[in-house]
Amino acid sequence: MSAEVVDGKAVAASVRARVADEVKEFAASNDGHVPGLATVLVGDDPASHVYVGNKRKQTEEVGMRSIHEELDDGTPEDELLDLVDQLNGDDTVDGILVQLPLPEQIDQDEVIARIDPAKDVDGLTAGNAGLLAQGRPGLVPCTPQGVIELLRHAGAELSGAEAVVVGRSILVGRPLASLLLGENATVTVCHSRTRDLAEVCSRADVLVAAVGSPRLIGRNMVKPGAVVIDVGTNRTDDGLVGDVDFEAVREVAGAITPVPGGVGPMTIAMLLSNTVEAARRRRL
Ligand code: NAP
């Protein structure tokens, strides 16, 4: 058996097309106001520059307004907090994204906590995380939301399914566990202290790896026919690889996402979707 390879680029393109329609509808019913996404980049990390550049480009491609602020590597925390306050108070800004990681003199948690939860399109504030944990509507982190879209696209039956998430970060594992619970899956979350990871993973109908460990998930850890979503992005001598041993696991899985071209493209697509959602909620 060889798994269906889930094409994240194609699913992301369909999400962007949907968002572009929603932007037009939103503007038509809000006196021409186009949702605005503010990106804030501090320092000169080359990868962050590429990520933010892609986010800005795609924001404009779906017809939204991109507002961009760039600060020096040595910027004091107060200055960044003042900028966040200014963006919070700007009614033309619907979403605020502060690119992480931040330089070491800045406390990341302080900055996230300062973002108006109504504009927190990364879904990282305690308020939005709390709403998600309680199963109530809020702004949901982009990567886990993208994973759910891919599972839907792959036709995974989530209700009653055994879902195993490997990784418990605030960015991916934890919010994803809440989303899967919201879909009525039976959810197990694994981490670095999990005993017998292979045994737990091999129970999964739906297996999501969000670890940051190249090819950690091997063929012996996957139930035949399982849907496997690989969030991991690891730069190795062989190039970009996921947390799943793709070539081995595709022989047993029912469906699998590749790296690159799986979860990665979904993250920005869901960011755009969250920005329209934030714009709508702010005007309810
Ligand atoms: P993270 O904050 O470093 O969390 C990693 C998690 O994996 C932790 O919960 C850790 O457990 C667990 N872990 C580490 N080694 C393990 C092992 N041997 N067995 C089981 N669990 C183990 O990472 P993250 O931010 O969630 O990101 C995870 C991966 O996804 C990274 O490769 C990242 O680059 C990628 N990512 C991709 C996207 C995208 O758009 N494609 C977005 C976000 C992240 P403990 O909690 O016990 O330490």
Side-chain angles (χ1 to χ4, degrees):
M1 186 170 115
S2 191
E4 174 205 344
V5 177
V6 183
D7 184 350
K9 279 190 201 158
V11 182
S14 72
V15 171
R16 288 196 301 272
R18 187 196 79 210
V19 172
D21 288 344
E22 290 175 354
V23 169
K24 282 190 201 122
E25 280 165 32
F26 180 87
S29 48
N30 287 278
D31 300 326
H33 174 80
V34 167
L37 173 63
T39 47
V40 180
L41 183 55
V42 188
D44 30 49
D45 177 60
S48 292
H49 272 264
V50 173
Y51 294 146
V52 170
N54 286 336
K55 287 168 187 175
R56 294 175 64 193
K57 181 167 164 276
Q58 293 187 30
T59 299
E60 285 170 358
E61 279 170 3
V62 297
M64 293 197 291
R65 208 163 70 87
S66 166
I67 303 105
H68 181 61
E69 302 284 350
E70 234 169 277
L71 299 174
D72 290 344
D73 201 41
T75 300
E77 186 176 301
D78 280 357
E79 206 174 301
L80 177 56
L81 291 173
D82 285 348
L83 175 59
V84 171
D85 287 344
Q86 186 195 311
L87 295 169
N88 283 339
D90 183 341
D91 201 39
T92 66
V93 171
D94 293 291
I96 301 170
L97 179 133
V98 179
Q99 185 66 39
L100 304 177
L102 292 167
E104 59 184 16
Q105 75 278 11
I106 299 176
D107 181 342
Q108 192 163 297
D109 294 343
E110 287 287 325
V111 175
I112 290 169
R114 196 68 159 249
I115 297 171
D116 177 352
K119 299 187 178 188
D120 168 31
V121 283
D122 251 348
L124 293 178
T125 56
N128 280 316
L131 289 171
L132 179 59
Q134 291 185 349
R136 293 160 65 197
L139 291 168
V140 175
C142 304
T143 302
Q145 217 185 132
V147 170
I148 297 290
E149 284 278 339
L150 290 175
L151 286 169
R152 287 207 185 102
H153 181 83
E157 175 62 54
L158 295 178
S159 183
E162 287 275 355
V164 173
V165 179
V166 190
R168 58 176 165 180
S169 70
I170 287 169
L171 193 62
V172 191
R174 282 170 203 256
L176 181 58
S178 296
L179 288 173
L180 287 164
L181 207 52
E183 299 288 335
N184 299 313
T186 302
V187 184
T188 304
V189 181
C190 299
H191 45 78
S192 64
R193 314 283 175 91
T194 297
R195 269 187 277 130
D196 204 348
L197 184 66
E199 191 276 324
V200 180
C201 289
S202 60
R203 295 203 298 256
D205 303 307
V206 169
L207 177 61
V208 184
V211 180
S213 177
R215 303 191 184 98
L216 174 74
I217 307 295
R219 184 186 171 127
N220 65 324
M221 299 165 94
V222 177
K223 179 173 164 177
V227 179
V228 180
I229 307 286
D230 191 352
V231 181
T233 43
N234 308 292
R235 283 171 212 289
T236 70
D237 293 342
D238 305 339
L240 200 64
V241 300
D243 291 341
V244 176
D245 185 346
F246 181 82
E247 289 307 330
V249 169
R250 73 184 298 186
E251 298 302 319
V252 280
I256 186 168
T257 58
V259 177
V263 174
M266 294 301 293
T267 299
I268 301 184
M270 302 324 294
L271 173 71
L272 305 176
S273 173
N274 271 357
T275 305
V276 184
E277 180 64 19
R280 280 202 208 101
R281 282 165 191 251
R282 291 181 60 242
R283 285 162 184 81
L284 280 179

